[in-house]
Amino acid sequence: MSSWSKSVKYAFIGKITLRNQFAYVADFIIRSLFLLLILYIFLQLWQTTFHGEGTETIAGFSFKQIMWYLVITEAMILACPSLCSRIEEEVKSGDIVFKFVRPVSFVVFHYVEYMSEAAIRFVVNATIGGILGLIIIGPPAFGFGLVWLPIVVWFGFTVNFMLNMVLALCSFWVEETRGLEFVYNKFLFTIGGMLMPLELFPDVLQRVGYWLPFQAIVYIPAKTAVAFDANKLAGALTTQLIWVLFIGVIVSMVYRKGVKKLNVNGG
């Protein structure tokens, strides 16, 4: 099969996924209202923190930068579908067999679906969060960070997909992977920089965070937007790309071994 034919098939898969997601935009908007509650809580917490510190900046971030940082990280996290749940159900029901016989890559098929779904969810979340931010926080000073935001967000979603795919493929052996996903998300929320920039962590945790792939998911995109530094942009993109390639190799290895070991139930 030619590369062009494969590209057309994957594009068609993405188109179908987007169409399905557009059919439920109203549901996404309702669920995204949860984002408003989260941002309101953080607004109160950080207002109290800055007031208590009696300073305009903390670790180089102003109150406005912190809040817009949270708008981006929360919009991204809430946009990510649960890949573990999806593949786990496919394994349990036996539907995964039909995915194997399709003339497309199993991993790439899920990647296209995942990214299409995450894209529409992120747009909805960012729109709602942005409106709230403009009303309560005021306009952001993104500068050129806004230009690069779509690229670093795309890389961030890709790294998140790769890590989730490694966990999801464990269902070929253990079937139950939601516990692994739960633990993974907790690392992402904390050392991954979702709740606050890594600069606000103690020095030891900062160094640990900079050596882990979690920073590439939401910390780099959010910081690129709110504290853009052209001198650090190449390093940030390189970090994301390295993790995409490295984890991609792990995904390929786990997938090949998993297919050999898979014992399908049901179906």
Side-chain angles (χ1 to χ4, degrees):
M1 184 183 297
S2 67
S3 299
W4 171 252
S5 299
K6 289 184 178 180
S7 299
V8 171
K9 289 184 178 181
Y10 292 132
F12 186 69
I13 293 170
K15 180 181 178 181
I16 293 176
T17 304
L18 284 174
R19 183 180 298 172
N20 291 338
Q21 296 306 312
F22 276 121
Y24 300 100
V25 170
D27 293 340
F28 286 152
I29 293 176
I30 294 175
R31 283 193 301 221
S32 295
L33 293 178
F34 181 62
L35 175 63
L36 304 183
L37 176 60
I38 295 175
L39 293 178
Y40 176 77
I41 293 173
F42 279 120
L43 176 67
Q44 301 303 314
L45 289 174
W46 282 107
Q47 277 183 336
T48 303
T49 301
F50 273 88
H51 180 73
E53 291 290 329
T55 179
E56 293 185 357
T57 61
I58 298 178
F61 290 88
S62 66
F63 171 73
K64 181 180 289 188
Q65 284 178 311
I66 289 288
M67 291 309 302
W68 280 107
Y69 176 96
L70 290 170
V71 169
I72 296 172
T73 60
E74 294 293 339
M76 289 186 66
I77 291 299
L78 292 177
C80 296
S82 177
L83 190 62
C84 285
S85 300
R86 190 168 299 175
I87 295 182
E88 181 181 305
E89 289 302 321
E90 291 177 356
V91 172
K92 289 180 178 180
S93 65
D95 290 343
I96 195 169
V97 173
F98 301 102
K99 297 290 180 69
F100 287 157
V101 298
R102 291 177 178 177
V104 292
S105 166
F106 174 82
V107 174
V108 178
F109 174 86
H110 276 287
Y111 175 73
V112 173
E113 274 198 334
Y114 181 96
M115 294 298 286
S116 299
E117 189 171 341
I120 184 61
R121 288 187 177 188
F122 177 72
V123 170
V124 173
N125 292 339
T127 300
I128 294 176
I131 293 174
L132 178 66
L134 290 173
I135 295 174
I136 299 179
I137 310 168
F142 285 166
F144 283 106
L146 185 62
V147 177
W148 289 97
L149 183 60
I151 297 175
V152 289
V153 165
W154 176 68
F155 271 120
F157 279 137
T158 301
V159 174
N160 196 41
F161 168 82
M162 293 293 186
L163 288 171
N164 273 276
M165 179 56 77
V166 173
L167 299 180
L169 290 176
C170 291
S171 62
F172 288 0
W173 289 275
V174 299
E175 292 191 359
E176 296 289 342
T177 59
R178 300 184 191 185
L180 297 175
E181 184 183 40
F182 176 83
V183 175
Y184 165 78
N185 285 331
K186 296 306 169 282
F187 278 111
L188 184 58
F189 294 168
T190 52
I191 200 65
M194 189 205 78
L195 298 176
M196 57 183 171
L198 295 183
E199 287 81 357
L200 276 68
F201 282 81
D203 292 339
V204 175
L205 287 180
Q206 283 188 45
R207 289 194 290 270
V208 172
Y210 290 137
W211 282 99
L212 294 176
F214 306 116
Q215 59 157 326
I217 299 173
V218 293
Y219 166 73
I220 288 179
K223 185 180 179 182
T224 298
V226 304
F228 179 75
D229 187 342
N231 296 323
K232 296 181 179 180
L233 178 63
L237 292 173
T238 300
T239 298
Q240 289 184 305
L241 180 59
I242 288 174
W243 281 117
V244 167
L245 296 176
F246 179 73
I247 305 171
V249 172
I250 296 176
V251 169
S252 178
M253 294 172 57
V254 174
Y255 174 73
R256 288 199 299 268
K257 291 182 178 296
V259 170
K260 295 178 182 179
K261 295 287 185 179
L262 179 62
N263 180 19
V264 179
N265 297 321

